[in-house]
Amino acid sequence: MRIGYKRVSTVDQNTARQLEGVEVDKLFEDKASGKSANRPQLVAALDYVREGDTLVVHSMDRLARNLEDLRSIVRDLTGRGVQVQFVKEGLTFTGEDSAMNVLLLSLLGSVAEFERSMILERQREGIAIAKAAGKYKGRKAALTDEQAGELRARRAAGESVAALAREYGISRQSVYNYTA
């Protein structure tokens, strides 16, 4: 069975170009950062594949953004008898890979990791320049000053973090941040 996996980093992005024209029997799709291997649909795909299946991915950087995760995922799958095919790179890993295939996996995985590092570095530089110019103020606060004061008072009175988070439409972590 051929299992497809697609990933984009944000919900605004589109996966249409990935695996275009590639036939798969089942498809898993994440809209989440590749910095973590703990993505819901990736986890589901890894649980779903069985010995003899092939996991088909558009490119290595769609599966993982760092070399350690990429090698770990490929090693785990091939160890279970699952082939891993990267369409863009034209590579398939079976577990009985040549030294050249292992080198290419490591080299191209390193390039993906390097690319992510460069993106983050440029982002940090851009934010620093925007802050210096007074154009970057950070994300808009989830609560008004009045709501934040009310939240702090209610938390101090012993109301649960989860209930407050639900009521104000924010995460539990945001409740902790506001009440810290």
Side-chain angles (χ1 to χ4, degrees), residues 16 35 53 85 87 100 109 111 118 142 153-156 162-163 176:
K35 69 182 176 185
D53 288 348
Q85 178 185 4
V87 176
M100 181 59 83
V111 169
M118 294 304 295
R154 290 175 65 182
R155 180 68 189 121
Y176 289 119

Side-chain angles (χ1 to χ4, degrees), residues 5 41 66 68 94 108 178:
Y5 177 72
Q41 290 299 297
N66 70 63
E68 186 177 320
T94 64
L108 295 173
Y178 275 107

